[in-house]
Amino acid sequence: MLLISGKPILEHLIIRARDSGFTQFVIAVHYLGEVVEQHFGNGSSLGVKISYLKEEFPRGTAGALTLLSPTPTLPVVVSNADLVSNVDFGSLLDFHESHSGDMTMAVREHEWQNPFGVVQTNGIEISSYEEKPVSRSYINAGIYVIDSAVINSLPRLEPYDMPYVFDLLKDRGESTIAYAIHESWLDVGHPKDLEAARMFNLNRVNLEKHD
């Protein structure tokens, strides 16, 4: 519910998904859930339908899905609520369905530059030296598509997050696939990230005004 350009982060996510063609949303709430409900209501002010999963205890991102009622019959798009992104949710869902995945994770390439020269040794001999190398890897973007059959097979009475579900599916031999996003993306997990998100959003608005 932290504000960016006058709207809660979650509202930006809902608007983004709405503009991709989504009309029905379910928000899992626990601590201060009444604040979320009071702000969004049934979603009519945003032109969508919103209902709520009220957790009696924190169930984790994946555990909350077992509270969905009625039971899903189609794939479900799941997103963390602390993301600022321009990801196209419709394209993500299309990708999942076209590749017949049981579960899809949106991933984003992350670069990290070592601030030091890296030395490899063989005993006391220097075998290689690289000045401030850049490492690249894919990171979890906190957005997923989960097939309805997967949700219906999850344990019902315990909290767990998405890594548990991926491990479960891998053990079963089911399909887990990655969808690389190239749109802007920021996980707002710390105060400095919130400030960066607010600057990002303001810059985006300014660019749009000049188009």
Side-chain angles (χ1 to χ4, degrees), residues 118-132:
V118 174
V119 180
Q120 301 291 336
T121 62
N122 182 9
I124 65 171
E125 293 291 326
I126 295 176
S127 56
S128 68
Y129 172 79
E130 188 175 4
E131 181 65 20
K132 299 180 180 179

Side-chain angles (χ1 to χ4, degrees), residues 6-211:
K7 295 186 181 72
I9 294 172
L10 181 54
E11 187 168 335
H12 287 282
L13 279 171
I14 291 172
I15 291 172
R16 183 69 182 171
R18 179 200 66 190
D19 292 347
S20 293
F22 292 82
T23 59
Q24 297 190 47
F25 297 81
V26 181
I27 303 174
V29 295
H30 178 60
Y31 177 68
L32 295 180
E34 66 278 5
V35 176
V36 179
E37 292 188 61
Q38 288 171 7
H39 180 84
F40 291 102
N42 63 8
S44 59
S45 63
L46 296 175
V48 300
K49 295 180 180 179
I50 297 177
S51 57
Y52 300 89
L53 298 179
K54 299 181 180 181
E55 300 175 306
E56 69 276 20
F57 59 88
R59 289 177 174 267
T61 305
L65 296 174
T66 64
L67 298 176
L68 286 170
S69 180
T71 302
T73 58
L74 296 172
V76 175
V77 179
V78 181
S79 175
N80 294 347
D82 56 355
L83 302 177
V84 178
S85 176
N86 288 331
V87 64
D88 186 332
F89 291 97
S91 294
L92 169 61
L93 180 58
D94 290 343
F95 178 88
H96 172 85
E97 293 183 322
S98 66
H99 289 80
S100 302
D102 293 299
M103 186 170 181
T104 299
M105 175 191 290
V107 299
R108 182 174 173 82
E109 188 176 65
H110 176 72
E111 291 187 356
W112 179 80
Q113 183 169 28
N114 195 314
F116 305 102
V118 174
V119 180
Q120 301 291 336
T121 62
N122 182 9
I124 65 171
E125 293 291 326
I126 295 176
S127 56
S128 68
Y129 172 79
E130 188 175 4
E131 181 65 20
K132 299 180 180 179
V134 175
S135 298
R136 294 179 177 86
S137 59
Y138 280 117
I139 61 171
N140 179 3
I143 305 170
Y144 316 86
V145 183
I146 306 179
D147 195 76
S148 59
V150 172
I151 296 174
N152 297 332
S153 70
L154 294 175
R156 299 280 156 179
L157 298 175
E158 55 189 274
Y160 45 88
D161 290 314
M162 289 300 183
Y164 168 86
V165 181
F166 274 95
D167 290 341
L168 183 67
L169 294 181
K170 298 304 289 185
D171 289 343
R172 292 178 184 171
E174 298 184 54
S175 174
T176 57
I177 57 179
Y179 173 81
I181 64 172
H182 304 285
E183 298 91 344
S184 57
W185 176 90
L186 185 63
D187 180 356
V188 184
H190 300 90
K192 62 181 178 62
D193 298 326
L194 177 60
E195 291 306 313
R198 285 171 171 161
M199 289 303 299
F200 153 75
N201 200 265
L202 288 172
N203 289 337
R204 186 179 68 180
V205 170
N206 289 338
L207 287 171
E208 289 174 353
K209 285 181 177 179
H210 285 86
D211 285 344

